[in-house]
Amino acid sequence: ADYLQHITLSKQMSEKHQVEVAYFGPDIRFERCLPGANWFAVAQKGLVAPWCFRRDVQRTFQALHAWWTSLDPRGHFVVPEEG
């Protein structure tokens, strides 16, 4: 039997090694978001933003962009800027 059929990203492994996403092959992907990620801690403490946090920020930005540009497709645009 192929071991990849049985592989997973366990809660214990994820928490112990701070892993939120694991790719075990082209079609085998696990995502396990760790609790406690917040922008204040990332920005103020200089922490690396966790995978799930970055994913959520990206989705929020995409939704905001879609909403804003839908109000006036010719006149509204979005310029991403950090800081």
Side-chain angles (χ1 to χ4, degrees):
D2 185 1
Y3 75 94
L4 289 175
Q5 295 175 4
H6 306 286
I7 199 164
T8 186
L9 176 60
S10 69
K11 182 178 180 192
Q12 295 79 10
M13 173 116 170
S14 177
E15 290 176 356
K16 181 178 180 179
H17 299 286
Q18 299 291 293
V19 175
E20 289 192 323
V21 175
Y23 293 90
F24 295 112
D27 299 324
I28 305 171
R29 177 181 182 268
F30 291 94
E31 187 174 293
R32 185 179 292 277
C33 297
L34 298 168
N38 66 67
W39 179 249
F40 184 78
V42 169
Q44 296 298 316
K45 297 180 181 180
L47 301 176
V48 173
W51 166 268
C52 294
F53 178 83
R54 293 191 318 266
R55 179 209 57 205
D56 294 344
V57 168
Q58 180 181 6
R59 287 178 181 169
T60 301
F61 190 82
Q62 288 171 335
L64 177 64
H65 172 269
W67 167 77
W68 181 247
T69 55
S70 74
L71 296 176
D72 183 358
R74 303 187 98 207
H76 289 179
F77 58 93
V78 176
V79 178
E81 183 179 316
E82 185 177 337

